[in-house]
């Protein structure tokens, strides 16, 4: 199951390198802003990642959900915390978020399996 994690990370890394190598000032600034927004501040990284996870699920961005799941997992978010956050995302986003909830759960299981 960790293949879905590896495939996601390989593709993301490859395409990020290509995008950043294109030397587009706007794209580079957006990437920088994104990196800095999730740095520790008044809110800790764990909280920011859960906020990003909820927003990504509501916006129905599977790549974003996977990214925030993996980072949340690395930050020590528990399965229960993740599911509570995804419950809020499903409530806010409505039933259209359920397919993303399914894929998020599958990806989380792969993260847990990889961590064993």
């Amino acid at each position: 199951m960790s293949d879905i994690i590896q495939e996601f990370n390989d593709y993301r890394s490859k395409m990020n390198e290509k995008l950043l190598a294109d030397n587009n000032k706007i794209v580079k600034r957006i990437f920088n802003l994104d990196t800095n927004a999730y740095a520790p501040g008044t809110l800790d990284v764990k909280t920011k990642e859960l906020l990003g996870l909820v927003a990504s699920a509501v916006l129905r961005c599977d790549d974003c959900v996977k990214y925030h799941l993996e980072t949340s997992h690395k930050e020590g978010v528990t399965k229960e915390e993740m599911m509570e956050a995804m419950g809020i995302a499903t409530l806010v986003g409505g039933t259209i978020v359920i397919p993303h909830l399914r894929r998020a759960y599958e990806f989380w299981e792969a993260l847990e399996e990889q961590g064993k």
Side-chain angles (χ1 to χ4, degrees):
M1 196 174 308
S2 65
D3 288 347
I4 64 174
I5 298 168
Q6 191 65 48
E7 287 174 18
F8 171 73
N9 285 324
D10 288 348
Y11 177 77
R12 184 175 176 276
S13 293
K14 179 180 90 172
M15 293 312 298
N16 282 352
E17 284 179 30
K18 287 184 177 195
L19 288 168
L20 293 171
D22 197 43
N23 207 26
N24 181 296
K25 187 187 291 188
I26 295 168
V27 170
K28 283 187 172 188
R29 286 182 176 174
I30 290 170
F31 272 62
N32 183 275
L33 181 61
D34 181 68
T35 298
N36 285 306
Y38 289 93
T42 303
L43 295 175
D44 62 11
V45 174
K46 181 177 169 179
T47 301
K48 289 181 177 188
E49 287 301 328
L50 288 171
L51 290 168
L53 176 61
V54 170
S56 297
V58 170
L59 292 169
R60 301 184 308 273
C61 175
D62 282 335
D63 280 5
C64 303
V65 168
K66 288 175 183 175
Y67 174 80
H68 290 293
L69 285 171
E70 187 167 12
T71 307
S72 293
H73 190 264
K74 288 177 183 173
E75 286 297 318
V77 169
T78 66
K79 184 177 187 177
E80 292 77 17
E81 290 170 323
M82 179 275 296
M83 283 302 296
E84 191 167 325
M86 288 301 293
I88 292 169
T90 306
L91 172 67
V92 172
T95 57
I96 197 167
V97 174
I98 291 173
H100 305 278
L101 174 62
R102 289 184 194 117
R103 287 188 288 275
Y105 196 90
E106 176 187 32
F107 198 79
W108 188 267
E109 286 183 326
L111 290 167
E112 287 183 325
E113 185 64 33
Q114 182 181 28
K116 290 182 182 178

